[in-house]
Amino acid sequence: MTVSINAAFDSGNIEVVDATDPQNIRLRIRQDAHSDFYQWFHFRVAGAKNIPLRLVIENAGGAAFKGGWEDYKTCMSEDREDWLRVPTSFSGDELVIEHTPALDSVYYAYFAPYTMERHRDLIADALSHDGVSLSVLGQTLDGRDMDCLSIGEGDKTVWVIARQHPGESMAEWWMEGFVARLTDPEDDVAVEMRKKVRFRIVPNMNPDGSFRGHLRTNAAGANLNREWDTPTMDNSPEVVLVRDAMDADKPVLCLDVHGDEALPYNFIAGAEGIPGYTQKQADNLAAFLTAYKAASADFQTEVGYPETAPGKGNPSMCTNQTAARYNCLAMTLEMPFKDNANAPDEARGWSGDRCAQLGSDTLDAMAAVIDQL
Ligand SMILES: [Zn+2]
């Protein structure tokens, strides 16, 4: 009776060092290609029904965000739909997962995975609704299509992009809820917004990194959210293609959706650090934040990143680049890997369903400010 561990699938990541002793299974997370970043893991354990497992990730202490392992619980699923949290501890060096599978096939992941197959389902489902079109902006380094949905006939353009950092799978769960709401013919807010706005939506900015099981980079090892000032087709075609499309269809609002490894809250980072940040941009951000808090009990403004000092904003990040380039309201949304500490869920932590609900609720916040943009 041997326990088998494998990650050779869409969005998988683990290396097996030694799986002979179920009470001391030794694992390592593989680095992103051409990069030192790693933290995303997603693997299957087979043949361990009713066997108590102690899975040790040996190189957790060297991961990109060590603080991400504190008070963290691993996601586990047997049916690949419902992801539950299982007991996990961090020694400072090693991450230890303790769980007894009830079935002969069980999956463990850093967060509920959002595979490229599910991405295809998201696109297909969106296109089944009236008034939704797909543009392929070009191809990635691994030859995957950069999918961009267009929804709505309005004069104003809103860009929404997600998952520049592919290990932040919560960003595409968010997209699923956002797109579902926006395409709902029975939803009054969505109907009104589609009249006022042309939405350009990139549900997955980093298909190669997503498939490869990367945390933070594309196939060339580029951190896409540090490429927006000088992207190149050799290193960061994803950003070149999307930024060119934005130049041709300039946003009044640009939202870039992410996840944060350490902070157990949903929050927004603005573009206050860019040179020439305007009062109008500040007022629009304040109005959006107020509306977002009203729209979602899971969104808050108490905890987040420290504000960037005036003029110190990094122009290689999407939010700063787009705020400066288009003089628009540009924001980065961060969601937790762990849980929302203000409304914890012991069983699931922050989950795909809650991401989708937050995505859906975001449309109310956009509706509240669209006329002033
Ligand atoms: Zn990110």
Side-chain angles (χ1 to χ4, degrees), residues 36-58:
D36 293 332
F37 288 118
Y38 66 89
Q39 193 140 9
W40 172 260
F41 61 89
H42 179 199
F43 57 90
R44 184 173 84 154
V45 176
K49 183 178 178 179
N50 296 332
I51 298 175
L53 298 177
R54 189 168 165 278
L55 304 151
V56 181
I57 298 180
E58 293 182 339

Side-chain angles (χ1 to χ4, degrees), residues 240-261:
V240 173
L241 296 166
V242 172
R243 204 186 70 171
D244 285 354
M246 285 184 181
D247 283 350
D249 193 0
K250 295 180 173 56
V252 296
L253 187 161
C254 181
L255 181 62
D256 178 20
V257 184
H258 287 252
D260 184 272
E261 288 77 2

Side-chain angles (χ1 to χ4, degrees), residues 64-90:
F65 302 95
K66 213 171 168 175
W69 303 130
E70 277 148 31
D71 302 317
Y72 167 76
K73 285 188 188 148
T74 301
C75 297
M76 179 282 303
S77 180
E78 283 158 349
D79 63 7
R80 309 202 320 126
E81 285 290 327
D82 191 17
W83 289 84
L84 299 169
R85 302 283 176 153
V86 295
T88 307
S89 59
F90 180 55

Side-chain angles (χ1 to χ4, degrees), residues 30-37 212-215 217-222:
R30 197 180 62 233
Q31 291 180 335
D32 292 5
H34 311 292
S35 161
D36 293 332
F37 288 118
R212 286 163 169 258
H214 284 188
L215 174 73
T217 73
N218 70 357

Side-chain angles (χ1 to χ4, degrees), residues 144-296:
R144 292 193 173 82
D145 284 339
M146 286 297 293
D147 290 339
C148 178
L149 295 168
S150 298
I151 305 173
E153 305 83 51
D155 297 332
K156 293 177 175 176
T157 300
V158 168
W159 278 88
V160 189
I161 70 170
R163 223 174 165 187
Q164 292 199 75
H165 297 141
E168 294 161 11
S169 55
M170 60 285 289
E172 203 160 4
W173 289 107
W174 182 101
M175 270 294 183
E176 199 170 291
F178 182 73
V179 171
R181 172 100 186 266
L182 194 53
T183 53
D184 182 353
E186 310 282 308
D187 189 294
D188 293 341
V189 174
V191 169
E192 197 59 29
M193 285 296 274
R194 292 200 305 268
K195 287 182 195 155
K196 291 181 179 179
V197 176
R198 177 170 147 82
F199 288 89
R200 306 293 308 276
I201 298 169
V202 182
N204 190 327
M205 279 291 297
N206 198 335
D208 293 350
S210 300
F211 188 86
R212 286 163 169 258
H214 284 188
L215 174 73
R216 209 159 165 78
T217 73
N218 70 357
N223 176 350
L224 298 183
N225 204 27
R226 299 295 184 274
E227 292 283 321
W228 283 74
D229 51 347
T230 52
T232 65
M233 285 305 283
D234 287 339
N235 198 49
S236 45
E238 301 88 346
V239 177
V240 173
L241 296 166
V242 172
R243 204 186 70 171
D244 285 354
M246 285 184 181
D247 283 350
D249 193 0
K250 295 180 173 56
V252 296
L253 187 161
C254 181
L255 181 62
D256 178 20
V257 184
H258 287 252
D260 184 272
E261 288 77 2
L263 291 174
Y265 300 96
N266 294 293
F267 59 95
I268 272 184
E272 69 283 343
I274 63 167
Y277 190 60
T278 66
Q279 189 59 48
K280 181 165 188 269
Q281 285 172 313
D283 292 346
N284 287 338
L285 175 61
F288 184 88
L289 294 177
T290 300
Y292 209 179
K293 273 196 287 190
S296 169

